[in-house]
Amino acid sequence: MSFRAREFFAELMLPFTHSTVVGNTYYATPTTGSPLRLCIEFTPTVYADTYGGLRASVVHADRGEINAVALSFVDHGTFHRRDEAQNTPTDNSTYGTFNTRSHRAGQPPWEGAVTTGLREAIEHYCTVWFPGSWPASPPPRTTVRPPHQAPSPARRRT
């Protein structure tokens, strides 16, 4: 069952031009001419139609999968705001997950997801396996401050 996975991966803003989503899985060729591919899929929980994270893997075109890493939604704060707003306890089976059957009409099942942590984790993973494939992040903006002015010398009272 498709649960608008293409939209989820679009929110991650992954920088790879040679990529596609098939079903609920994202595929990319981060480095042109390389036999290595990136595959990202949703990881199911023990509950039906419920997902708790992503699984990123590196697949060699001839040798198959050579590495994989699990990226849980809980570890990357994906649903922290949503769960906090709904007072979902951390020991609840719905904490840090989404279910494809129970969500608001017209909204994706992963409504409320904050993907920044996942994107950063995927960037770090790609930096190891696909060096140079991730564009350098712009330096953080700094505030321009006026030059430091020395305090006026203290006046002596005589």
Side-chain angles (χ1 to χ4, degrees), residues 132-152:
S133 67
W134 201 281
S137 300
R141 293 184 182 183
T142 57
T143 305
V144 177
R145 294 187 176 119
H148 179 69
Q149 295 177 351
S152 303

Side-chain angles (χ1 to χ4, degrees), residues 35-157:
L36 299 180
R37 308 291 184 259
L38 174 65
C39 174
I40 304 173
E41 55 195 327
F42 291 90
T43 55
T45 66
V46 296
Y47 302 100
D49 303 315
T50 303
Y51 298 87
L54 299 176
R55 181 179 187 272
S57 59
V58 175
V59 179
H60 189 280
D62 297 324
R63 299 183 202 137
E65 185 175 285
I66 58 175
N67 188 270
V69 64
L71 306 171
S72 79
F73 294 145
V74 170
D75 290 347
H76 295 90
T78 309
F79 294 107
H80 178 75
R81 287 185 194 163
R82 178 203 68 187
D83 292 342
E84 191 175 70
Q86 295 176 355
N87 293 319
T88 306
T90 58
D91 61 349
N92 187 299
S93 64
T94 63
Y95 183 84
T97 67
F98 74 85
N99 182 295
T100 59
R101 289 179 287 130
S102 54
H103 57 90
R104 293 186 324 152
Q107 296 298 316
W110 40 266
E111 178 184 11
V114 176
T115 59
T116 307
L118 288 173
R119 185 178 195 284
E120 290 172 356
I122 294 167
E123 177 180 2
H124 291 297
Y125 187 68
C126 289
T127 300
V128 171
W129 286 99
F130 307 101
S133 67
W134 201 281
S137 300
R141 293 184 182 183
T142 57
T143 305
V144 177
R145 294 187 176 119
H148 179 69
Q149 295 177 351
S152 303
R155 291 186 180 184
R156 277 193 185 174
R157 293 187 183 198

